Amino acid sequence: LAQTYSIVYEVCGEPESVGEACAFSFIRCCCSLAKTRKAILQNNILIQTLMKHYLHHSFRALFLLLAVFMSLPMQAVEVDGINYELVEKTKKATVVPRSAGYYWGKIVIPETIEYYGDVYSVTKIAENAFRESYMLTDVVIGDCVKSIGREAFRSCSGLTSVTIGNSVNSIEYGAFYECSGLKSVTFPNSVSSIGDRAFEGCSDLSYITFGSGIKRIDAFSFAGCSKLCNVYCYAENVPT
């Protein structure tokens, strides 16, 4: 708490009224609950404005600051080189895009991550999470991930290998669009749907294996896969 309070103190200076002193205490509690210093630093201008122009001599500070903190977007955190958005209540994490720069090399998306002593299950890869990470070469998706979002790996032209976890149920629109270096894909039994244009433009893709759970393959999912010549499907019924 002392460490977090010092950040607020640096941003806002000495409290100048009883209302501001109460507001300081409120911020300190919010920071403790959120377990993040980054949120305070990223929103320091907003806090400064409230503290210096609107909250003098007023207990309304508590209510205004409550509204501000409840409306702030979730902050991305980085764990082992990957950005996540965390949901405290459900202890779930979503892989999200980096605010600056791209991913490269081999990426392993784990089943769980630990952040400030709490364990979160990694259940989703968000829209555009790895988009245009041209130097990304290899991706291993953990067994807790249930969905791969729209255009999550779009235009990752250097990607040659992807291992899809055993809990992935859906691969959404354009998820691997124009991953031109991808050569083969094996879908586990958990995958039931593949979205429109999911693998369109994967010009080197030549080998696909569908697990027993596949039910739907949308239009143009594999359009432009000019080298595709080996397709195996273990579903009892033909996918629609």
Side-chain angles (χ1 to χ4, degrees), residues 114-168:
E114 185 174 337
Y115 188 71
Y116 278 88
D118 290 331
V119 177
Y120 296 80
S121 297
V122 182
T123 59
K124 185 176 181 180
I125 300 174
E127 179 177 340
N128 296 320
F130 297 92
R131 181 171 177 160
E132 296 178 357
S133 293
Y134 304 112
M135 298 181 69
L136 187 65
T137 59
D138 191 357
V139 173
V140 178
I141 299 172
D143 286 340
C144 284
V145 174
K146 299 183 185 304
S147 65
I148 301 174
R150 291 173 62 93
E151 301 183 342
F153 293 92
R154 176 172 178 154
S155 299
C156 292
S157 55
L159 185 63
T160 59
S161 173
V162 58
T163 302
I164 300 173
N166 290 320
S167 292
V168 172

Coordinates of all heavy atoms in Angstrom, one line a residue, residues 114-168:
E114 N 0.5 -16.6 -13.7 CA 0.4 -16.1 -12.4 C 0.8 -14.6 -12.4 O 1.8 -14.2 -13.0 CB 1.4 -16.9 -11.4 CG 1.3 -16.5 -10.0 CD 2.2 -17.3 -9.1 OE1 2.5 -18.4 -9.4 OE2 2.5 -16.8 -8.0
Y115 N -0.1 -13.9 -11.7 CA 0.2 -12.4 -11.7 C -0.1 -11.9 -10.2 O -1.3 -12.1 -9.8 CB -0.7 -11.7 -12.7 CG -0.4 -10.2 -12.8 CD1 0.7 -9.8 -13.4 CD2 -1.3 -9.3 -12.3 CE1 1.0 -8.4 -13.6 CE2 -1.1 -7.9 -12.5 CZ 0.1 -7.5 -13.1 OH 0.4 -6.2 -13.2
Y116 N 0.9 -11.4 -9.6 CA 0.8 -11.0 -8.2 C 0.2 -12.0 -7.3 O -0.7 -11.7 -6.4 CB 0.0 -9.7 -8.1 CG 0.8 -8.4 -8.4 CD1 0.9 -8.0 -9.7 CD2 1.4 -7.7 -7.4 CE1 1.6 -6.9 -10.0 CE2 2.2 -6.6 -7.7 CZ 2.3 -6.2 -9.0 OH 3.0 -5.1 -9.3
G117 N 0.6 -13.3 -7.5 CA 0.2 -14.3 -6.6 C -1.1 -15.0 -7.0 O -1.5 -16.1 -6.5
D118 N -1.9 -14.4 -7.9 CA -3.1 -15.0 -8.4 C -2.9 -15.8 -9.7 O -2.1 -15.4 -10.5 CB -4.2 -13.9 -8.6 CG -4.7 -13.3 -7.4 OD1 -4.7 -14.0 -6.3 OD2 -5.1 -12.1 -7.4
V119 N -3.6 -16.9 -9.8 CA -3.5 -17.8 -11.0 C -4.7 -17.6 -11.9 O -5.8 -17.6 -11.5 CB -3.4 -19.2 -10.6 CG1 -3.3 -20.1 -11.9 CG2 -2.1 -19.5 -9.8
Y120 N -4.4 -17.3 -13.2 CA -5.5 -17.1 -14.2 C -5.4 -18.1 -15.3 O -4.3 -18.4 -15.7 CB -5.3 -15.7 -14.8 CG -5.5 -14.5 -13.9 CD1 -4.4 -14.1 -13.0 CD2 -6.7 -13.8 -13.8 CE1 -4.6 -13.1 -12.1 CE2 -6.8 -12.7 -12.9 CZ -5.7 -12.4 -12.1 OH -5.9 -11.3 -11.2
S121 N -6.6 -18.6 -15.7 CA -6.6 -19.5 -16.8 C -6.7 -18.7 -18.1 O -7.5 -17.8 -18.3 CB -7.9 -20.4 -16.8 OG -7.8 -21.2 -15.6
V122 N -5.8 -19.1 -19.1 CA -5.8 -18.4 -20.4 C -6.8 -19.1 -21.3 O -6.6 -20.2 -21.8 CB -4.4 -18.4 -21.0 CG1 -4.3 -17.7 -22.3 CG2 -3.3 -17.9 -20.0
T123 N -7.9 -18.4 -21.5 CA -9.1 -19.0 -22.2 C -9.3 -18.5 -23.6 O -10.1 -19.1 -24.3 CB -10.3 -18.9 -21.4 OG1 -10.6 -17.5 -21.2 CG2 -10.2 -19.5 -20.0
K124 N -8.7 -17.4 -24.0 CA -9.0 -16.8 -25.3 C -7.8 -16.1 -25.9 O -7.0 -15.5 -25.2 CB -10.2 -15.9 -25.2 CG -10.7 -15.3 -26.5 CD -12.0 -14.5 -26.3 CE -12.5 -13.9 -27.6 NZ -13.7 -13.1 -27.5
I125 N -7.7 -16.1 -27.2 CA -6.8 -15.3 -28.0 C -7.7 -14.2 -28.6 O -8.6 -14.5 -29.4 CB -6.0 -16.1 -29.0 CG1 -5.2 -17.2 -28.3 CG2 -5.1 -15.1 -29.8 CD1 -4.5 -18.1 -29.2
A126 N -7.5 -13.0 -28.3 CA -8.3 -11.9 -28.8 C -8.1 -11.5 -30.2 O -7.1 -11.9 -30.9 CB -8.1 -10.6 -27.9
E127 N -9.1 -10.8 -30.8 CA -9.0 -10.3 -32.1 C -7.7 -9.5 -32.3 O -7.3 -8.7 -31.5 CB -10.2 -9.3 -32.3 CG -10.3 -8.7 -33.7 CD -11.5 -7.9 -33.9 OE1 -12.5 -8.1 -33.1 OE2 -11.6 -7.0 -34.8
N128 N -7.0 -9.8 -33.4 CA -5.8 -9.1 -33.8 C -4.6 -9.3 -32.8 O -3.7 -8.5 -32.9 CB -6.1 -7.6 -34.0 CG -7.0 -7.3 -35.1 OD1 -7.0 -7.9 -36.2 ND2 -7.9 -6.3 -34.9
A129 N -4.7 -10.2 -32.0 CA -3.7 -10.4 -30.9 C -2.2 -10.4 -31.5 O -1.3 -9.8 -30.9 CB -4.0 -11.6 -30.1
F130 N -2.0 -11.2 -32.5 CA -0.7 -11.3 -33.1 C -0.6 -10.8 -34.5 O 0.3 -11.1 -35.3 CB -0.3 -12.8 -33.1 CG -0.2 -13.4 -31.7 CD1 -1.3 -14.0 -31.2 CD2 1.0 -13.3 -31.0 CE1 -1.2 -14.6 -29.9 CE2 1.1 -13.9 -29.7 CZ 0.0 -14.5 -29.2
R131 N -1.6 -10.1 -35.0 CA -1.7 -9.6 -36.3 C -0.4 -8.9 -36.8 O 0.2 -8.1 -36.2 CB -2.9 -8.7 -36.5 CG -3.1 -8.2 -37.9 CD -4.4 -7.4 -38.0 NE -4.5 -6.9 -39.4 CZ -5.7 -6.5 -39.9 NH1 -6.8 -6.6 -39.2 NH2 -5.7 -6.0 -41.1
E132 N 0.0 -9.4 -38.0 CA 1.2 -8.8 -38.7 C 2.5 -8.9 -38.0 O 3.4 -8.1 -38.1 CB 0.9 -7.3 -39.1 CG -0.3 -7.2 -40.1 CD -0.6 -5.8 -40.5 OE1 0.0 -4.9 -39.9 OE2 -1.5 -5.6 -41.3
S133 N 2.5 -9.9 -37.1 CA 3.8 -10.2 -36.5 C 4.6 -11.1 -37.5 O 4.7 -12.3 -37.4 CB 3.6 -11.0 -35.2 OG 3.0 -10.2 -34.2
Y134 N 5.3 -10.4 -38.4 CA 5.9 -11.1 -39.5 C 7.0 -12.0 -39.1 O 7.3 -13.0 -39.8 CB 6.4 -10.1 -40.5 CG 5.4 -9.1 -41.0 CD1 5.5 -7.7 -40.7 CD2 4.4 -9.5 -41.8 CE1 4.5 -6.8 -41.1 CE2 3.4 -8.6 -42.3 CZ 3.5 -7.3 -41.9 OH 2.6 -6.4 -42.3
M135 N 7.6 -11.8 -38.0 CA 8.8 -12.6 -37.5 C 8.4 -13.7 -36.6 O 9.2 -14.4 -36.0 CB 9.8 -11.7 -36.9 CG 10.4 -10.6 -37.9 SD 11.6 -9.6 -37.1 CE 13.0 -10.7 -36.9
L136 N 7.1 -13.8 -36.3 CA 6.6 -15.0 -35.5 C 6.8 -16.3 -36.3 O 6.3 -16.3 -37.5 CB 5.1 -14.7 -35.2 CG 4.5 -15.7 -34.2 CD1 5.1 -15.6 -32.8 CD2 3.0 -15.4 -34.1
T137 N 7.4 -17.3 -35.7 CA 7.7 -18.5 -36.5 C 7.0 -19.7 -36.0 O 6.7 -20.6 -36.8 CB 9.2 -18.8 -36.4 OG1 9.6 -18.9 -35.1 CG2 10.0 -17.7 -37.1
D138 N 6.7 -19.8 -34.7 CA 6.1 -21.0 -34.1 C 5.2 -20.7 -33.0 O 5.6 -19.9 -32.1 CB 7.3 -21.9 -33.6 CG 6.8 -23.3 -33.3 OD1 5.6 -23.6 -33.3 OD2 7.7 -24.1 -32.9
V139 N 4.0 -21.2 -33.0 CA 3.0 -20.9 -31.9 C 2.5 -22.2 -31.3 O 2.1 -23.1 -32.1 CB 1.8 -20.1 -32.5 CG1 0.7 -20.0 -31.4 CG2 2.3 -18.7 -32.9
V140 N 2.5 -22.3 -30.0 CA 1.9 -23.4 -29.3 C 0.8 -22.9 -28.4 O 1.1 -22.0 -27.5 CB 3.0 -24.2 -28.4 CG1 2.3 -25.3 -27.6 CG2 4.1 -24.7 -29.3
I141 N -0.4 -23.3 -28.6 CA -1.5 -22.8 -27.9 C -1.9 -23.8 -26.8 O -2.2 -25.0 -27.0 CB -2.7 -22.6 -28.8 CG1 -2.3 -21.6 -29.9 CG2 -4.0 -22.1 -28.1 CD1 -3.4 -21.4 -31.0
G142 N -2.0 -23.3 -25.6 CA -2.3 -24.1 -24.4 C -3.7 -24.8 -24.4 O -4.6 -24.3 -25.1
D143 N -3.8 -25.8 -23.5 CA -5.1 -26.5 -23.5 C -6.2 -25.9 -22.8 O -7.3 -26.5 -22.7 CB -4.8 -27.9 -22.9 CG -4.0 -28.8 -23.8 OD1 -4.0 -28.6 -25.1 OD2 -3.4 -29.8 -23.4
C144 N -6.1 -24.7 -22.3 CA -7.2 -24.0 -21.7 C -7.9 -23.0 -22.7 O -9.0 -22.5 -22.4 CB -6.8 -23.2 -20.4 SG -6.5 -24.3 -19.0
V145 N -7.2 -22.7 -23.8 CA -7.7 -21.7 -24.7 C -8.9 -22.3 -25.4 O -8.8 -23.4 -26.0 CB -6.7 -21.3 -25.7 CG1 -7.3 -20.4 -26.8 CG2 -5.5 -20.5 -25.1
K146 N -10.0 -21.6 -25.5 CA -11.3 -22.1 -26.1 C -11.6 -21.5 -27.4 O -12.3 -22.1 -28.3 CB -12.5 -21.9 -25.2 CG -12.3 -22.6 -23.8 CD -13.6 -22.4 -23.0 CE -13.4 -23.0 -21.6 NZ -13.0 -24.4 -21.6
S147 N -11.1 -20.3 -27.7 CA -11.3 -19.7 -29.0 C -10.2 -18.9 -29.5 O -9.4 -18.3 -28.7 CB -12.6 -18.8 -28.9 OG -12.4 -17.7 -28.1
I148 N -10.0 -18.8 -30.8 CA -9.0 -18.0 -31.4 C -9.8 -16.9 -32.2 O -10.5 -17.2 -33.1 CB -8.1 -18.8 -32.4 CG1 -7.4 -20.0 -31.6 CG2 -7.1 -18.0 -33.1 CD1 -6.7 -20.9 -32.5
G149 N -9.5 -15.6 -31.8 CA -10.3 -14.5 -32.3 C -10.1 -14.1 -33.7 O -9.2 -14.6 -34.4
R150 N -11.0 -13.2 -34.2 CA -10.9 -12.7 -35.6 C -9.5 -12.2 -35.9 O -9.0 -11.3 -35.2 CB -11.9 -11.6 -35.8 CG -13.4 -12.1 -35.7 CD -14.3 -10.9 -35.8 NE -14.2 -10.1 -37.0 CZ -14.9 -10.3 -38.1 NH1 -15.8 -11.3 -38.1 NH2 -14.7 -9.6 -39.1
E151 N -9.0 -12.7 -37.0 CA -7.7 -12.2 -37.5 C -6.6 -12.1 -36.5 O -5.7 -11.3 -36.5 CB -7.9 -10.8 -38.1 CG -9.0 -10.8 -39.3 CD -9.2 -9.5 -40.0 OE1 -8.8 -8.4 -39.4 OE2 -9.7 -9.5 -41.1
A152 N -6.7 -13.1 -35.6 CA -5.7 -13.1 -34.5 C -4.3 -13.2 -35.0 O -3.3 -12.7 -34.4 CB -6.0 -14.2 -33.5
F153 N -4.1 -14.0 -36.0 CA -2.7 -14.3 -36.6 C -2.6 -13.8 -38.0 O -1.8 -14.2 -38.8 CB -2.4 -15.7 -36.5 CG -2.2 -16.3 -35.1 CD1 -3.3 -16.8 -34.4 CD2 -1.0 -16.2 -34.4 CE1 -3.2 -17.3 -33.2 CE2 -0.9 -16.7 -33.1 CZ -2.0 -17.2 -32.5
R154 N -3.5 -12.9 -38.4 CA -3.5 -12.4 -39.8 C -2.2 -11.9 -40.2 O -1.5 -11.1 -39.5 CB -4.6 -11.3 -40.0 CG -4.6 -10.8 -41.4 CD -5.7 -9.8 -41.6 NE -5.6 -9.3 -43.0 CZ -6.7 -8.9 -43.7 NH1 -7.9 -8.9 -43.2 NH2 -6.5 -8.4 -44.9
S155 N -1.8 -12.3 -41.4 CA -0.5 -11.8 -42.1 C 0.7 -12.1 -41.3 O 1.7 -11.4 -41.4 CB -0.6 -10.3 -42.4 OG -1.7 -10.1 -43.3
C156 N 0.7 -13.2 -40.5 CA 2.0 -13.6 -39.8 C 2.7 -14.5 -40.9 O 2.7 -15.7 -40.8 CB 1.6 -14.4 -38.6 SG 1.0 -13.4 -37.2
S157 N 3.3 -13.9 -41.8 CA 3.9 -14.6 -43.0 C 5.0 -15.5 -42.6 O 5.3 -16.4 -43.4 CB 4.3 -13.6 -44.1 OG 5.2 -12.6 -43.5
G158 N 5.7 -15.3 -41.5 CA 6.8 -16.1 -41.1 C 6.4 -17.3 -40.3 O 7.2 -18.2 -40.0
L159 N 5.1 -17.4 -40.0 CA 4.6 -18.5 -39.2 C 4.6 -19.8 -40.0 O 4.0 -19.9 -41.0 CB 3.2 -18.2 -38.7 CG 2.6 -19.2 -37.7 CD1 3.4 -19.3 -36.4 CD2 1.1 -18.8 -37.4
T160 N 5.4 -20.8 -39.5 CA 5.5 -22.1 -40.2 C 4.9 -23.2 -39.4 O 4.6 -24.3 -40.0 CB 7.0 -22.5 -40.5 OG1 7.7 -22.5 -39.2 CG2 7.6 -21.4 -41.3
S161 N 4.6 -23.1 -38.1 CA 4.1 -24.1 -37.3 C 3.1 -23.6 -36.3 O 3.4 -22.6 -35.6 CB 5.2 -24.9 -36.7 OG 4.7 -25.9 -35.8
V162 N 1.9 -24.2 -36.1 CA 1.0 -23.9 -35.1 C 0.5 -25.2 -34.5 O 0.0 -26.1 -35.2 CB -0.1 -23.0 -35.6 CG1 -0.9 -23.6 -36.7 CG2 -1.1 -22.6 -34.4
T163 N 0.5 -25.2 -33.1 CA 0.0 -26.4 -32.4 C -1.3 -25.9 -31.7 O -1.2 -25.0 -30.8 CB 1.0 -26.9 -31.4 OG1 2.2 -27.3 -32.1 CG2 0.4 -28.1 -30.6
I164 N -2.4 -26.4 -32.0 CA -3.7 -25.9 -31.5 C -4.1 -26.8 -30.3 O -4.1 -28.0 -30.3 CB -4.8 -26.0 -32.5 CG1 -4.4 -25.1 -33.7 CG2 -6.2 -25.6 -31.9 CD1 -5.4 -25.2 -34.9
G165 N -4.3 -26.1 -29.1 CA -4.6 -26.8 -27.9 C -5.9 -27.6 -27.9 O -6.8 -27.4 -28.8
N166 N -6.0 -28.6 -27.0 CA -7.1 -29.5 -27.0 C -8.4 -29.0 -26.5 O -9.4 -29.8 -26.4 CB -6.7 -30.8 -26.2 CG -5.6 -31.6 -26.9 OD1 -5.6 -31.7 -28.2 ND2 -4.6 -32.0 -26.2
S167 N -8.5 -27.7 -26.2 CA -9.8 -27.2 -25.7 C -10.3 -26.2 -26.7 O -11.5 -25.7 -26.5 CB -9.6 -26.5 -24.3 OG -9.4 -27.5 -23.4
V168 N -9.6 -25.8 -27.8 CA -10.1 -24.9 -28.7 C -11.3 -25.4 -29.4 O -11.3 -26.5 -30.0 CB -9.0 -24.5 -29.8 CG1 -9.6 -23.6 -30.9 CG2 -7.8 -23.8 -29.1

